[in-house]
Amino acid sequence: MNYDNLIIENQESMATKADALTQFIKAKQWDMNISSMPIKMLLIQSKQKNDLQKSERANIEIARRCCFALSTFSFTFIGASFAISISRVSSRKNIILASIFTLIVLFSFTLGKALKHYPFFSILVYILPQVIVVILTSFKLRKISKGAQ
C-alpha cells in the first residue's frame, strides 16, 4: 500500500511541537556503547575495579574482537588444509570436515553472544573453538605436506 498521498493531503494538520520531539531525543545520561569503543578505551574499561559489570562487558567485547580477528586465520587454515588434495580421487570427507569446522567457528560467534551474562563462558566460547580449529587444520596441513592424505 502506498500512504504517500494520505500524508501529503494531511500535511497541514500534522504538527509536532519541538519540545515534545526533543524530549524523546535527549538522553538523561551520556554513555558510550561498549561495542563502539576503540580498543584503548576497552582496555581502560576492563581494568576498572569500581564497576564490575562494565569491566566484564569490556572483557567480553575484547574477546569478541579477538575472535573476529582469529576467524580470518581459522577460515584461511580451513580452506587451505581441506582444498589441497594429493590423491586423484576426491573425498567427501574433506568437504564435510571443512563444513563442520566452519560451522563450529560460526556457532562460536552466536553462542558467545548468547552467553553475554556469563563472562567466563562467553570468553571461553569465543576463543577456544578458534584455537582448536587452527590447531586441527594445521595438523592436517602438516600431514598433507609430508605426503600423506
PDB file of all heavy atoms in Angstrom, residues 104-129:
ATOM      1  N   ILE A 104      31.499 -24.732  13.316  1.00  0.00           N
ATOM      2  CA  ILE A 104      31.979 -24.564  14.692  1.00  0.00           C
ATOM      3  C   ILE A 104      32.403 -23.117  14.923  1.00  0.00           C
ATOM      4  O   ILE A 104      32.071 -22.510  15.948  1.00  0.00           O
ATOM      5  CB  ILE A 104      33.136 -25.542  14.993  1.00  0.00           C
ATOM      6  CG1 ILE A 104      32.599 -26.962  15.125  1.00  0.00           C
ATOM      7  CG2 ILE A 104      33.895 -25.141  16.240  1.00  0.00           C
ATOM      8  CD1 ILE A 104      33.680 -28.020  15.216  1.00  0.00           C
ATOM      9  N   VAL A 105      33.136 -22.565  13.971  1.00  0.00           N
ATOM     10  CA  VAL A 105      33.588 -21.170  14.110  1.00  0.00           C
ATOM     11  C   VAL A 105      32.389 -20.224  14.119  1.00  0.00           C
ATOM     12  O   VAL A 105      32.298 -19.325  14.962  1.00  0.00           O
ATOM     13  CB  VAL A 105      34.579 -20.802  12.986  1.00  0.00           C
ATOM     14  CG1 VAL A 105      34.874 -19.315  12.978  1.00  0.00           C
ATOM     15  CG2 VAL A 105      35.857 -21.594  13.127  1.00  0.00           C
ATOM     16  N   LEU A 106      31.460 -20.414  13.212  1.00  0.00           N
ATOM     17  CA  LEU A 106      30.286 -19.541  13.148  1.00  0.00           C
ATOM     18  C   LEU A 106      29.390 -19.717  14.376  1.00  0.00           C
ATOM     19  O   LEU A 106      28.823 -18.747  14.879  1.00  0.00           O
ATOM     20  CB  LEU A 106      29.503 -19.802  11.867  1.00  0.00           C
ATOM     21  CG  LEU A 106      30.219 -19.423  10.572  1.00  0.00           C
ATOM     22  CD1 LEU A 106      29.389 -19.828   9.361  1.00  0.00           C
ATOM     23  CD2 LEU A 106      30.522 -17.948  10.537  1.00  0.00           C
ATOM     24  N   PHE A 107      29.284 -20.946  14.858  1.00  0.00           N
ATOM     25  CA  PHE A 107      28.467 -21.203  16.035  1.00  0.00           C
ATOM     26  C   PHE A 107      29.091 -20.574  17.279  1.00  0.00           C
ATOM     27  O   PHE A 107      28.380 -20.161  18.196  1.00  0.00           O
ATOM     28  CB  PHE A 107      28.285 -22.711  16.225  1.00  0.00           C
ATOM     29  CG  PHE A 107      27.327 -23.069  17.313  1.00  0.00           C
ATOM     30  CD1 PHE A 107      25.979 -22.789  17.190  1.00  0.00           C
ATOM     31  CD2 PHE A 107      27.778 -23.683  18.465  1.00  0.00           C
ATOM     32  CE1 PHE A 107      25.096 -23.106  18.201  1.00  0.00           C
ATOM     33  CE2 PHE A 107      26.910 -24.014  19.486  1.00  0.00           C
ATOM     34  CZ  PHE A 107      25.560 -23.722  19.359  1.00  0.00           C
ATOM     35  N   SER A 108      30.417 -20.490  17.305  1.00  0.00           N
ATOM     36  CA  SER A 108      31.072 -19.861  18.464  1.00  0.00           C
ATOM     37  C   SER A 108      30.720 -18.376  18.555  1.00  0.00           C
ATOM     38  O   SER A 108      30.598 -17.836  19.659  1.00  0.00           O
ATOM     39  CB  SER A 108      32.583 -20.057  18.402  1.00  0.00           C
ATOM     40  OG  SER A 108      33.167 -19.255  17.413  1.00  0.00           O
ATOM     41  N   PHE A 109      30.545 -17.701  17.409  1.00  0.00           N
ATOM     42  CA  PHE A 109      30.112 -16.298  17.439  1.00  0.00           C
ATOM     43  C   PHE A 109      28.734 -16.180  18.087  1.00  0.00           C
ATOM     44  O   PHE A 109      28.501 -15.352  18.955  1.00  0.00           O
ATOM     45  CB  PHE A 109      30.021 -15.712  16.031  1.00  0.00           C
ATOM     46  CG  PHE A 109      31.319 -15.623  15.289  1.00  0.00           C
ATOM     47  CD1 PHE A 109      31.344 -15.768  13.919  1.00  0.00           C
ATOM     48  CD2 PHE A 109      32.505 -15.388  15.938  1.00  0.00           C
ATOM     49  CE1 PHE A 109      32.524 -15.688  13.222  1.00  0.00           C
ATOM     50  CE2 PHE A 109      33.693 -15.296  15.250  1.00  0.00           C
ATOM     51  CZ  PHE A 109      33.697 -15.451  13.889  1.00  0.00           C
ATOM     52  N   THR A 110      27.822 -17.027  17.640  1.00  0.00           N
ATOM     53  CA  THR A 110      26.448 -16.962  18.123  1.00  0.00           C
ATOM     54  C   THR A 110      26.351 -17.335  19.594  1.00  0.00           C
ATOM     55  O   THR A 110      25.673 -16.664  20.374  1.00  0.00           O
ATOM     56  CB  THR A 110      25.561 -17.905  17.285  1.00  0.00           C
ATOM     57  OG1 THR A 110      25.745 -17.604  15.909  1.00  0.00           O
ATOM     58  CG2 THR A 110      24.103 -17.755  17.646  1.00  0.00           C
ATOM     59  N   LEU A 111      27.030 -18.407  19.974  1.00  0.00           N
ATOM     60  CA  LEU A 111      26.957 -18.862  21.358  1.00  0.00           C
ATOM     61  C   LEU A 111      27.650 -17.880  22.305  1.00  0.00           C
ATOM     62  O   LEU A 111      27.173 -17.629  23.412  1.00  0.00           O
ATOM     63  CB  LEU A 111      27.574 -20.255  21.484  1.00  0.00           C
ATOM     64  CG  LEU A 111      27.375 -20.973  22.805  1.00  0.00           C
ATOM     65  CD1 LEU A 111      25.890 -21.150  23.087  1.00  0.00           C
ATOM     66  CD2 LEU A 111      28.061 -22.314  22.778  1.00  0.00           C
ATOM     67  N   GLY A 112      28.749 -17.297  21.871  1.00  0.00           N
ATOM     68  CA  GLY A 112      29.430 -16.297  22.690  1.00  0.00           C
ATOM     69  C   GLY A 112      28.560 -15.081  22.935  1.00  0.00           C
ATOM     70  O   GLY A 112      28.546 -14.514  24.030  1.00  0.00           O
ATOM     71  N   LYS A 113      27.812 -14.677  21.925  1.00  0.00           N
ATOM     72  CA  LYS A 113      26.895 -13.548  22.071  1.00  0.00           C
ATOM     73  C   LYS A 113      25.737 -13.916  22.999  1.00  0.00           C
ATOM     74  O   LYS A 113      25.285 -13.098  23.798  1.00  0.00           O
ATOM     75  CB  LYS A 113      26.374 -13.145  20.685  1.00  0.00           C
ATOM     76  CG  LYS A 113      25.500 -11.943  20.663  1.00  0.00           C
ATOM     77  CD  LYS A 113      26.298 -10.695  20.753  1.00  0.00           C
ATOM     78  CE  LYS A 113      25.398  -9.509  20.461  1.00  0.00           C
ATOM     79  NZ  LYS A 113      26.059  -8.264  20.693  1.00  0.00           N
ATOM     80  N   ALA A 114      25.271 -15.148  22.930  1.00  0.00           N
ATOM     81  CA  ALA A 114      24.158 -15.579  23.769  1.00  0.00           C
ATOM     82  C   ALA A 114      24.568 -15.700  25.239  1.00  0.00           C
ATOM     83  O   ALA A 114      23.732 -15.537  26.126  1.00  0.00           O
ATOM     84  CB  ALA A 114      23.622 -16.913  23.273  1.00  0.00           C
ATOM     85  N   LEU A 115      25.826 -15.977  25.496  1.00  0.00           N
ATOM     86  CA  LEU A 115      26.306 -16.147  26.867  1.00  0.00           C
ATOM     87  C   LEU A 115      26.868 -14.855  27.457  1.00  0.00           C
ATOM     88  O   LEU A 115      27.734 -14.900  28.331  1.00  0.00           O
ATOM     89  CB  LEU A 115      27.376 -17.240  26.908  1.00  0.00           C
ATOM     90  CG  LEU A 115      26.915 -18.650  26.610  1.00  0.00           C
ATOM     91  CD1 LEU A 115      28.095 -19.593  26.519  1.00  0.00           C
ATOM     92  CD2 LEU A 115      25.933 -19.128  27.665  1.00  0.00           C
ATOM     93  N   LYS A 116      26.382 -13.713  27.006  1.00  0.00           N
ATOM     94  CA  LYS A 116      26.946 -12.436  27.452  1.00  0.00           C
ATOM     95  C   LYS A 116      26.739 -12.177  28.943  1.00  0.00           C
ATOM     96  O   LYS A 116      27.443 -11.369  29.523  1.00  0.00           O
ATOM     97  CB  LYS A 116      26.387 -11.292  26.625  1.00  0.00           C
ATOM     98  CG  LYS A 116      24.909 -11.054  26.805  1.00  0.00           C
ATOM     99  CD  LYS A 116      24.442  -9.939  25.910  1.00  0.00           C
ATOM    100  CE  LYS A 116      22.931  -9.796  26.018  1.00  0.00           C
ATOM    101  NZ  LYS A 116      22.428  -8.828  25.086  1.00  0.00           N
ATOM    102  N   HIS A 117      25.816 -12.874  29.576  1.00  0.00           N
ATOM    103  CA  HIS A 117      25.598 -12.690  31.007  1.00  0.00           C
ATOM    104  C   HIS A 117      26.535 -13.560  31.851  1.00  0.00           C
ATOM    105  O   HIS A 117      26.553 -13.437  33.071  1.00  0.00           O
ATOM    106  CB  HIS A 117      24.144 -12.988  31.370  1.00  0.00           C
ATOM    107  CG  HIS A 117      23.176 -12.075  30.685  1.00  0.00           C
ATOM    108  ND1 HIS A 117      23.100 -10.733  30.967  1.00  0.00           N
ATOM    109  CD2 HIS A 117      22.261 -12.304  29.711  1.00  0.00           C
ATOM    110  CE1 HIS A 117      22.175 -10.177  30.216  1.00  0.00           C
ATOM    111  NE2 HIS A 117      21.651 -11.108  29.433  1.00  0.00           N
ATOM    112  N   TYR A 118      27.274 -14.433  31.195  1.00  0.00           N
ATOM    113  CA  TYR A 118      28.253 -15.296  31.863  1.00  0.00           C
ATOM    114  C   TYR A 118      29.626 -15.032  31.239  1.00  0.00           C
ATOM    115  O   TYR A 118      30.015 -15.691  30.281  1.00  0.00           O
ATOM    116  CB  TYR A 118      27.866 -16.773  31.697  1.00  0.00           C
ATOM    117  CG  TYR A 118      26.462 -17.058  32.140  1.00  0.00           C
ATOM    118  CD1 TYR A 118      25.424 -17.176  31.218  1.00  0.00           C
ATOM    119  CD2 TYR A 118      26.167 -17.193  33.487  1.00  0.00           C
ATOM    120  CE1 TYR A 118      24.133 -17.431  31.622  1.00  0.00           C
ATOM    121  CE2 TYR A 118      24.874 -17.446  33.900  1.00  0.00           C
ATOM    122  CZ  TYR A 118      23.863 -17.571  32.963  1.00  0.00           C
ATOM    123  OH  TYR A 118      22.589 -17.815  33.376  1.00  0.00           O
ATOM    124  N   PRO A 119      30.356 -14.054  31.745  1.00  0.00           N
ATOM    125  CA  PRO A 119      31.577 -13.585  31.086  1.00  0.00           C
ATOM    126  C   PRO A 119      32.630 -14.661  30.850  1.00  0.00           C
ATOM    127  O   PRO A 119      33.215 -14.718  29.776  1.00  0.00           O
ATOM    128  CB  PRO A 119      32.116 -12.503  32.021  1.00  0.00           C
ATOM    129  CG  PRO A 119      31.012 -12.151  32.920  1.00  0.00           C
ATOM    130  CD  PRO A 119      30.070 -13.292  32.948  1.00  0.00           C
ATOM    131  N   PHE A 120      32.872 -15.517  31.838  1.00  0.00           N
ATOM    132  CA  PHE A 120      33.911 -16.528  31.673  1.00  0.00           C
ATOM    133  C   PHE A 120      33.576 -17.479  30.529  1.00  0.00           C
ATOM    134  O   PHE A 120      34.409 -17.758  29.664  1.00  0.00           O
ATOM    135  CB  PHE A 120      34.099 -17.318  32.983  1.00  0.00           C
ATOM    136  CG  PHE A 120      35.068 -18.450  32.855  1.00  0.00           C
ATOM    137  CD1 PHE A 120      36.428 -18.196  32.790  1.00  0.00           C
ATOM    138  CD2 PHE A 120      34.632 -19.760  32.770  1.00  0.00           C
ATOM    139  CE1 PHE A 120      37.339 -19.236  32.654  1.00  0.00           C
ATOM    140  CE2 PHE A 120      35.517 -20.793  32.642  1.00  0.00           C
ATOM    141  CZ  PHE A 120      36.874 -20.542  32.583  1.00  0.00           C
ATOM    142  N   PHE A 121      32.330 -17.966  30.501  1.00  0.00           N
ATOM    143  CA  PHE A 121      31.925 -18.897  29.461  1.00  0.00           C
ATOM    144  C   PHE A 121      31.850 -18.224  28.093  1.00  0.00           C
ATOM    145  O   PHE A 121      32.165 -18.835  27.074  1.00  0.00           O
ATOM    146  CB  PHE A 121      30.584 -19.548  29.814  1.00  0.00           C
ATOM    147  CG  PHE A 121      30.653 -20.410  31.037  1.00  0.00           C
ATOM    148  CD1 PHE A 121      29.972 -20.065  32.175  1.00  0.00           C
ATOM    149  CD2 PHE A 121      31.434 -21.554  31.044  1.00  0.00           C
ATOM    150  CE1 PHE A 121      30.050 -20.850  33.314  1.00  0.00           C
ATOM    151  CE2 PHE A 121      31.517 -22.351  32.164  1.00  0.00           C
ATOM    152  CZ  PHE A 121      30.823 -21.997  33.311  1.00  0.00           C
ATOM    153  N   SER A 122      31.442 -16.968  28.078  1.00  0.00           N
ATOM    154  CA  SER A 122      31.375 -16.234  26.814  1.00  0.00           C
ATOM    155  C   SER A 122      32.762 -16.070  26.201  1.00  0.00           C
ATOM    156  O   SER A 122      32.959 -16.314  25.004  1.00  0.00           O
ATOM    157  CB  SER A 122      30.733 -14.871  27.054  1.00  0.00           C
ATOM    158  OG  SER A 122      30.683 -14.136  25.869  1.00  0.00           O
ATOM    159  N   ILE A 123      33.727 -15.664  27.018  1.00  0.00           N
ATOM    160  CA  ILE A 123      35.096 -15.501  26.524  1.00  0.00           C
ATOM    161  C   ILE A 123      35.665 -16.843  26.075  1.00  0.00           C
ATOM    162  O   ILE A 123      36.312 -16.942  25.037  1.00  0.00           O
ATOM    163  CB  ILE A 123      35.965 -14.848  27.620  1.00  0.00           C
ATOM    164  CG1 ILE A 123      35.520 -13.402  27.834  1.00  0.00           C
ATOM    165  CG2 ILE A 123      37.441 -14.898  27.256  1.00  0.00           C
ATOM    166  CD1 ILE A 123      36.110 -12.736  29.050  1.00  0.00           C
ATOM    167  N   LEU A 124      35.379 -17.889  26.848  1.00  0.00           N
ATOM    168  CA  LEU A 124      35.855 -19.232  26.502  1.00  0.00           C
ATOM    169  C   LEU A 124      35.270 -19.711  25.178  1.00  0.00           C
ATOM    170  O   LEU A 124      35.984 -20.252  24.325  1.00  0.00           O
ATOM    171  CB  LEU A 124      35.493 -20.207  27.624  1.00  0.00           C
ATOM    172  CG  LEU A 124      36.129 -21.573  27.590  1.00  0.00           C
ATOM    173  CD1 LEU A 124      37.625 -21.447  27.867  1.00  0.00           C
ATOM    174  CD2 LEU A 124      35.490 -22.474  28.614  1.00  0.00           C
ATOM    175  N   VAL A 125      33.986 -19.474  24.977  1.00  0.00           N
ATOM    176  CA  VAL A 125      33.320 -19.907  23.742  1.00  0.00           C
ATOM    177  C   VAL A 125      33.792 -19.089  22.545  1.00  0.00           C
ATOM    178  O   VAL A 125      33.866 -19.608  21.429  1.00  0.00           O
ATOM    179  CB  VAL A 125      31.785 -19.830  23.904  1.00  0.00           C
ATOM    180  CG1 VAL A 125      31.066 -19.940  22.587  1.00  0.00           C
ATOM    181  CG2 VAL A 125      31.316 -20.911  24.846  1.00  0.00           C
ATOM    182  N   TYR A 126      34.128 -17.827  22.763  1.00  0.00           N
ATOM    183  CA  TYR A 126      34.644 -17.012  21.661  1.00  0.00           C
ATOM    184  C   TYR A 126      36.029 -17.486  21.205  1.00  0.00           C
ATOM    185  O   TYR A 126      36.288 -17.600  20.011  1.00  0.00           O
ATOM    186  CB  TYR A 126      34.758 -15.537  22.077  1.00  0.00           C
ATOM    187  CG  TYR A 126      33.511 -14.720  21.862  1.00  0.00           C
ATOM    188  CD1 TYR A 126      33.026 -13.898  22.870  1.00  0.00           C
ATOM    189  CD2 TYR A 126      32.834 -14.734  20.658  1.00  0.00           C
ATOM    190  CE1 TYR A 126      31.905 -13.129  22.684  1.00  0.00           C
ATOM    191  CE2 TYR A 126      31.708 -13.972  20.466  1.00  0.00           C
ATOM    192  CZ  TYR A 126      31.245 -13.169  21.475  1.00  0.00           C
ATOM    193  OH  TYR A 126      30.130 -12.402  21.279  1.00  0.00           O
ATOM    194  N   ILE A 127      36.920 -17.773  22.134  1.00  0.00           N
ATOM    195  CA  ILE A 127      38.322 -18.020  21.799  1.00  0.00           C
ATOM    196  C   ILE A 127      38.643 -19.495  21.567  1.00  0.00           C
ATOM    197  O   ILE A 127      39.346 -19.838  20.604  1.00  0.00           O
ATOM    198  CB  ILE A 127      39.236 -17.445  22.907  1.00  0.00           C
ATOM    199  CG1 ILE A 127      38.989 -15.949  23.076  1.00  0.00           C
ATOM    200  CG2 ILE A 127      40.696 -17.719  22.616  1.00  0.00           C
ATOM    201  CD1 ILE A 127      39.319 -15.102  21.881  1.00  0.00           C
ATOM    202  N   LEU A 128      38.165 -20.380  22.426  1.00  0.00           N
ATOM    203  CA  LEU A 128      38.581 -21.785  22.386  1.00  0.00           C
ATOM    204  C   LEU A 128      38.293 -22.492  21.058  1.00  0.00           C
ATOM    205  O   LEU A 128      39.186 -23.172  20.528  1.00  0.00           O
ATOM    206  CB  LEU A 128      37.963 -22.541  23.562  1.00  0.00           C
ATOM    207  CG  LEU A 128      38.511 -23.930  23.811  1.00  0.00           C
ATOM    208  CD1 LEU A 128      39.986 -23.852  24.180  1.00  0.00           C
ATOM    209  CD2 LEU A 128      37.731 -24.617  24.913  1.00  0.00           C
ATOM    210  N   PRO A 129      37.109 -22.385  20.461  1.00  0.00           N
ATOM    211  CA  PRO A 129      36.881 -23.070  19.175  1.00  0.00           C
ATOM    212  C   PRO A 129      37.815 -22.589  18.073  1.00  0.00           C
ATOM    213  O   PRO A 129      38.233 -23.379  17.224  1.00  0.00           O
ATOM    214  CB  PRO A 129      35.421 -22.752  18.831  1.00  0.00           C
ATOM    215  CG  PRO A 129      34.796 -22.437  20.118  1.00  0.00           C
ATOM    216  CD  PRO A 129      35.847 -21.803  20.953  1.00  0.00           C
TER     217      PRO A 129
END
